[in-house]
Amino acid sequence: AQESNKTNNLCLKNPPVLKRYIPHGYGPLLSLPYSHPDEFIRTYESPVLKERIFCFSSNTIRLLKGMINQTCGTTSISSFQSLTAVIWRSITRARRLPMDQETSCRFAADNRARMCPPLPSGYFGNCFSALRAAAKVGELLENDLGWAALKMNQAVAEHTSEKVTQMIDQWLKSPFIYHIDRLFEPMSIMIGSSPRFNKYGCEFGMGKALMLRSGYGHKFDGKVSAYPGREGGGSIDLEVCLLPEFMEALESDEEFASLVSF
């Protein structure tokens, strides 16, 4: 791909690194423990969901991050961890779950820099983990936002190179195909995508996109996708999928609504 760029007098600002990562001691081909595609291919039927985009301005996120860090006596909690704490608590409150039930929040973390040795930032392919923060519903709702944000921050801090290596080793010893019901727990939330992706920068001559949307595939109750806000400057849009009754409760949540830019 890079040679082709030179031949055609094209220059990519961030050319993809196409060289494959192959774990030490393993060949380029890995055998999966299946004898027929039916053993790992499943048809997923999404329930009837209500989907909505919630926009959070850069000023709101800046104030939220500052407030949470001040409350926790730290400076290490990021803007995204602060916003994740908000959506985790708000959706959990909207679901009206028993106080002793466990709920969790999963969110994607890039593993490129956590590999040993690190992979290039332009490595082309999936290289991430779904980090998990968990708590009893009562703990999550009775404590403040800072408590939830610290749970997120702790999950990131504990996701070390050693953890990534261990995850890869475990999969190589017992490989499997990921499915939603194996990765996701009911009555929790999973946050995918990232506001770091410059999606509004993909301009094809028709002007800047008005709004980001994703297709209906791979959607389930509690699926949240994070995008950069159209206004830029650190604003974030969250695409939230919930059962209709949970979405109605979320839209009526005063704490949540006070942070959303309509």
Side-chain angles (χ1 to χ4, degrees):
Q2 294 175 3
E3 288 298 321
S4 176
N5 294 337
K6 295 178 183 177
T7 302
N8 297 320
N9 294 320
L10 296 176
C11 181
L12 295 177
K13 183 179 179 181
N14 298 302
V17 177
L18 302 178
K19 182 180 179 181
R20 295 293 81 201
Y21 163 74
I22 300 174
H24 180 70
Y26 290 85
L29 299 179
L30 298 173
S31 297
L32 296 175
Y34 307 109
S35 58
H36 193 278
D38 289 345
E39 296 179 49
F40 60 88
I41 296 178
R42 301 182 188 177
T43 300
Y44 174 71
E45 295 294 336
S46 179
V48 176
L49 299 171
K50 187 172 182 181
E51 183 176 318
R52 182 168 176 185
I53 296 281
F54 296 100
C55 304
F56 299 85
S57 70
S58 55
N59 185 58
T60 294
I61 293 174
R62 179 180 58 82
L63 294 174
L64 178 67
K65 175 185 174 182
M67 180 270 290
I68 287 178
N69 275 282
Q70 183 177 23
T71 300
C72 297
T74 184
T75 58
S76 64
I77 297 173
S78 69
S79 298
F80 189 63
Q81 291 165 10
S82 302
L83 186 57
T84 299
V86 169
I87 196 68
W88 185 21
R89 274 170 44 97
S90 299
I91 289 178
T92 300
R93 187 164 50 235
R95 285 170 165 163
R96 298 182 178 89
L97 302 173
M99 300 297 274
D100 60 347
Q101 181 172 330
E102 184 175 82
T103 180
S104 67
C105 175
R106 291 184 182 269
F107 52 103
D110 187 1
N111 286 337
R112 289 170 177 80
R114 294 180 171 93
M115 301 290 284
C116 189
L119 294 178
S121 60
Y123 178 81
F124 187 77
N126 290 328
C127 186
F128 72 95
S129 294
L131 306 191
R132 180 179 184 268
K136 297 290 187 182
V137 171
E139 291 178 315
L140 183 63
L141 298 183
E142 290 168 1
N143 287 287
D144 57 24
L145 275 172
W147 187 90
L150 278 174
K151 298 285 284 187
M152 304 294 173
N153 184 264
Q154 182 182 4
V156 173
E158 293 176 351
H159 190 58
T160 60
S161 296
E162 291 77 15
K163 280 283 186 71
V164 174
T165 300
Q166 183 183 32
M167 177 196 71
I168 294 173
D169 288 342
Q170 288 177 343
W171 189 89
L172 289 169
K173 291 175 182 176
S174 182
F176 62 93
I177 302 297
Y178 286 94
H179 295 98
I180 290 178
D181 57 357
R182 186 166 184 168
L183 185 64
F184 182 71
E185 302 138 313
M187 296 298 131
S188 294
I189 73 169
M190 180 179 288
I191 303 177
S193 194
S194 172
R196 295 182 179 180
F197 299 156
N198 184 22
K199 296 191 175 184
Y200 283 104
C202 297
E203 211 274 283
F204 301 100
M206 296 182 289
K208 186 176 180 180
L210 297 178
M211 181 62 71
L212 296 173
R213 290 287 191 272
S214 65
Y216 198 70
H218 202 68
K219 296 291 180 66
F220 48 88
D221 178 46
K223 178 66 164 57
V224 179
S225 298
Y227 304 129
R230 191 178 190 278
E231 70 178 54
S235 59
I236 297 176
D237 292 347
L238 296 181
E239 179 188 69
V240 180
C241 299
L242 293 172
L243 294 177
E245 60 269 28
F246 297 154
M247 182 64 78
E248 182 179 355
L250 178 65
E251 292 171 336
S252 302
D253 188 290
E254 293 184 3
E255 179 183 274
F256 181 72
S258 69
L259 299 172
V260 175
S261 301
F262 293 97

